[in-house]
């Protein structure tokens, strides 16, 4: 999970000022943790609390309840770290119903699922469980599942090409043109690609290369 946090911090200076280049200062003194890191930690904390996980409906609902409470507590303890408006409203609303988001927030915080799951089926179940409390739109769920699966596959020793092919075939054919040649290029890709996938790519980079 260090990769998620490092990616988040390096990308924090570009959240509202995205770049389209691989030439930038990764070690900027203004780098900081954002909501992506804090919510990544929240997800991991809840999943570890329930580990080893029993994949029953009752247990999964308990995970969702505990994660909802942990998200709200995280927001209260760290209120000014870049949360989206919909997430803020969700935290402040006692009902806390999912808001059909198709944004990337669910994918940014998903890395611990790839670490904890013991099969691809468990990746998919856990990813949906922790994501749908806010991101219940099919695209929000797909993004989280794709990133969690990348982390899981890298953890299991799949090659970059094998992981890339799975993503192209099963999730996102549009990433076919991404350059994966070399460690430095792989790390810089998310910043040059869209400036919004730093934390998610950091997860995968961590598993593929280590730190």
């Amino acid at each position: 999970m260090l990769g998620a946090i490092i990616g988040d911090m390096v990308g924090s200076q570009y959240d509202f000022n995205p770049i389209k280049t691989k030439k930038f200062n990764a070690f900027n003194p203004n780098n900081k943790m954002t909501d992506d890191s804090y919510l990544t930690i929240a997800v991991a904390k809840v999943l570890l609390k329930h580990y080893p996980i029993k994949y029953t409906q009752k247990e999964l609902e308990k995970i969702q309840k505990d994660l909802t409470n942990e998200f709200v507590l995280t927001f209260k303890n760290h209120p000014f770290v870049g949360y989206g408006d919909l997430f803020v409203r969700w935290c402040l609303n006692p009902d806390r119903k999912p808001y059909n988001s198709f944004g990337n927030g669910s994918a940014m915080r998903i890395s611990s699922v790839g670490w904890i799951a013991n099969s691809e089926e468990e990746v998919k179940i856990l990813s949906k469980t922790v994501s749908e409390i806010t991101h219940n739109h099919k695209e929000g769920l797909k993004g989280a599942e794709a990133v969690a699966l990348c982390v899981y596959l890298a953890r299991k020793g799949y090659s970059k090409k094998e992981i890339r092919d799975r993503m192209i075939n099963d999730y996102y054919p549009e990433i076919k043109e991404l350059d994966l040649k070399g460690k430095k290029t792989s790390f810089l890709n998310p910043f040059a690609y869209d400036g919004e996938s730093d934390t998610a790519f950091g997860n995968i980079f961590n598993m593929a290369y280590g730190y």
Side-chain angles (χ1 to χ4, degrees):
M1 283 172 47
L2 284 175
I5 295 172
I6 292 171
D8 178 40
M9 293 183 69
V10 172
S12 63
Q13 58 185 308
Y14 305 114
D15 278 350
F16 302 102
N17 185 29
I19 57 176
K20 293 288 184 179
T21 178
K22 297 175 185 178
K23 296 180 180 180
F24 64 94
N25 179 16
F27 301 100
N28 190 303
N30 294 320
N31 290 351
K32 59 185 178 181
M33 287 171 58
T34 76
D35 58 315
D36 291 341
S37 289
Y38 287 104
L39 295 179
T40 292
I41 293 168
V43 173
K45 183 177 178 180
V46 170
L47 292 182
L48 288 173
K49 175 185 175 182
H50 288 267
Y51 189 82
I53 294 170
K54 299 175 183 177
Y55 289 85
T56 64
Q57 187 63 31
K58 182 178 180 180
E59 177 73 1
L60 296 176
E61 289 175 356
K62 186 65 166 60
I63 289 173
Q64 289 186 326
K65 180 179 179 181
D66 288 350
L67 186 57
T68 296
N69 292 335
E70 190 64 32
F71 277 176
V72 174
L73 181 62
T74 299
F75 170 71
K76 289 180 178 178
N77 289 338
H78 309 281
F80 305 114
V81 292
Y83 304 102
D85 289 342
L86 291 176
F87 183 82
V88 172
R89 293 176 196 169
W90 180 84
C91 287
L92 296 176
N93 188 333
D95 291 337
R96 299 194 181 98
K97 301 293 185 184
Y99 45 87
N100 201 37
S101 175
F102 52 85
N104 65 7
S106 55
M108 296 300 103
R109 63 195 189 213
I110 201 69
S111 58
S112 56
V113 167
W115 282 92
I116 287 176
N118 290 311
S119 68
E120 290 190 26
E121 183 61 26
E122 288 186 6
V123 168
K124 294 177 180 181
I125 293 171
L126 271 186
S127 175
K128 183 174 184 292
T129 297
V130 304
S131 298
E132 68 181 0
I133 60 175
T134 55
H135 290 62
N136 57 330
H137 188 282
K138 65 178 183 179
E139 290 299 322
L141 293 171
K142 183 175 78 168
E145 182 180 299
V147 172
L149 184 59
C150 283
V151 174
Y152 172 80
L153 293 175
R155 177 184 139 220
K156 290 296 183 179
Y158 284 71
S159 70
K160 288 188 299 180
K161 183 181 185 305
E162 289 172 321
I163 296 171
R164 178 176 178 270
D165 288 346
R166 282 291 302 276
M167 292 301 107
I168 291 171
N169 293 331
D170 297 347
Y171 294 93
Y172 298 107
E174 61 269 26
I175 68 171
K176 189 174 182 179
E177 302 306 317
L178 276 181
D179 180 8
L180 296 180
K181 296 177 181 178
K183 183 186 293 188
K184 182 177 180 181
T185 298
S186 297
F187 180 75
L188 296 176
N189 267 328
F191 308 100
Y193 184 60
D194 66 359
E196 287 291 333
S197 51
D198 45 17
T199 312
F201 271 79
N203 294 324
I204 304 160
F205 183 89
N206 189 178
M207 288 304 307
Y209 292 107
Y211 284 121

